Amino acid sequence: MAEPELISTPFTAASTADDVLRGFDLTGVRALVTGGSSGIGAETARALTAAGAEVTLAVRNTTAGDTVAESIRDSTGRIRPRVAPLDLADTAAVARFAEAWQGPLHLLINNAGVVTGGLERTREGWEVQFATNHLGHFALALGLRGALARGASGRGGARIVAVSSTAHMRAGVDFDDLHFEHRSYDPQIAYAQSKTANSLFAVEATRRWAADGIVANTVNPGGVSTGLQRNFTPRQRQSLDAAEAAGVFTYKTVEQGAATGIVAAVCPAFAHSGGHYLDDAQEAYTVPNDADLAQHPHGVKEWALDPGLARRLWAVSADLLHA
């Protein structure tokens, strides 16, 4: 059987979020951006606001969020984004956030992420990168499913954008030791596992929710220097430098880094089609799990799109949250 044709767009690695949104009027679209107080999240929120969307910034640091919201209002001349506190590593905080949400939601951008330099755990004993990057966003999406369904009903569809990373190619999900209770801790492998989980979430969310008009897609924003790297150890920095030298990535501006997420958020080709992984504004080609990252810097590994693994991760995640 022939492989399905990959979805392409007219945009490239050099495109910016504003390039993608040119010609779009997002008046009436309600968007939620996690991690919107800096970096790619802040630029995503700015671009959406400039196009007319009503944006909420879900952030841990509301002071920083307010600063970004004021800047967005001043630079766009649009309505100031709303700022709401959200700690994705705190399950109770995620539940409170979802319960407090009022009205429909048309666009959920799961952008927030953490990188740790060593092993950290939540109060449940979960490894922090997996808990924040995957489980927190998973719980948030579950809690907002009703709002997304209302958004889809009113505008003919709702979208979720899961922000992943080239790092997913380093590791799949270790279902036998999700929280590094038995294996030696490697923060890079832990981060990679969480980024693979982001993609698997999009696959299964689409399968479960497409009938309600909700689709989810995964994006790799590419190499962008943001606050995400602030906790890097010397070893992590050396690894990043080596990857850049090997041609795995070329640094983008934050405006370019936000573009692929905006493609997934607004381009017609992804309005009713989910479970895709985008890189440099295009659907990425799939590579075997043993493929070398340096040779396939714009690919997506099979373990990040496997429907069986996606269903398994969903069930395990739901069990953890209800334990």
Side-chain angles (χ1 to χ4, degrees):
M1 181 182 296
E3 292 292 324
E5 186 174 347
L6 298 177
I7 297 174
S8 62
T9 79
F11 305 105
T12 69
S15 299
T16 67
D18 285 339
D19 291 336
V20 178
L21 283 167
R22 191 166 290 116
F24 280 91
D25 181 359
L26 300 186
T27 301
V29 171
R30 302 186 76 208
L32 171 61
V33 182
T34 67
S37 62
S38 65
I40 293 171
E43 172 59 16
T44 298
R46 184 208 60 77
L48 291 170
T49 301
E54 176 190 330
V55 177
T56 295
L57 308 179
V59 298
R60 284 186 297 175
N61 184 336
T62 54
T63 299
D66 284 331
T67 299
V68 168
E70 295 288 343
S71 175
I72 290 173
R73 181 195 61 192
D74 293 344
S75 66
T76 64
R78 299 281 191 165
I79 296 175
R80 180 186 187 274
R82 173 174 170 258
V83 178
L86 177 63
D87 182 353
L88 288 163
D90 183 336
T91 54
V94 175
R96 287 193 301 270
F97 183 97
E99 289 169 5
W101 185 270
Q102 297 182 346
L105 177 63
H106 307 103
L107 180 57
L108 171 59
I109 298 188
N110 290 336
N111 164 81
V114 298
V115 173
T116 64
L119 178 58
E120 298 178 27
R121 296 193 182 280
T122 67
R123 62 171 172 262
E124 295 90 352
W126 301 335
E127 191 275 321
V128 160
Q129 295 189 83
F130 186 79
T132 303
N133 301 345
H134 166 61
L135 288 173
H137 281 127
F138 176 78
L140 180 65
L142 288 182
L144 293 173
R145 180 187 175 183
L148 286 163
R150 291 192 294 275
S153 176
R155 292 187 66 92
R159 307 192 200 190
I160 302 173
V161 179
V163 178
S164 183
S165 167
T166 302
H168 88 274
M169 297 186 76
R170 294 182 183 273
V173 174
D174 187 337
F175 289 97
D176 295 324
D177 193 16
L178 287 173
H179 301 294
F180 291 82
E181 296 170 312
H182 308 293
R183 50 183 165 150
S184 296
Y185 187 71
D186 183 331
Q188 291 178 293
I189 296 300
Y191 182 69
Q193 174 179 252
S194 75
K195 295 292 99 178
T196 293
N198 290 152
S199 181
L200 290 173
F201 160 77
V203 171
E204 182 63 4
T206 297
R207 188 187 73 84
R208 287 172 175 261
W209 297 348
D212 293 328
I214 304 166
V215 295
N217 285 295
T218 307
V219 301
N220 170 29
V224 181
S225 181
T226 69
L228 190 66
Q229 292 97 28
R230 63 182 174 271
N231 294 321
F232 273 20
T233 63
R235 177 171 171 264
Q236 287 171 307
R237 292 190 181 281
Q238 290 168 4
S239 178
L240 188 67
D241 291 343
E244 182 188 12
V248 171
F249 71 93
T250 300
Y251 275 107
K252 296 180 178 182
T253 66
V254 70
E255 293 83 3
Q256 293 168 336
T260 300
I262 294 295
V263 165
V266 303
C267 284
F270 299 100
H272 305 291
S273 186
H276 307 290
Y277 181 102
L278 286 69
D279 183 287
D280 283 350
Q282 312 293 326
E283 183 178 8
Y285 62 95
T286 305
V287 299
N289 291 335
D290 61 357
D292 183 76
L293 171 59
Q295 295 180 358
H296 298 281
H298 300 291
V300 54
K301 287 204 170 178
E302 293 173 335
W303 61 39
L305 295 176
D306 185 293
L309 295 178
R311 286 193 291 272
R312 184 179 181 186
L313 178 63
W314 191 285
V316 168
S317 301
D319 286 345
L320 284 170
L321 292 173
H322 293 112

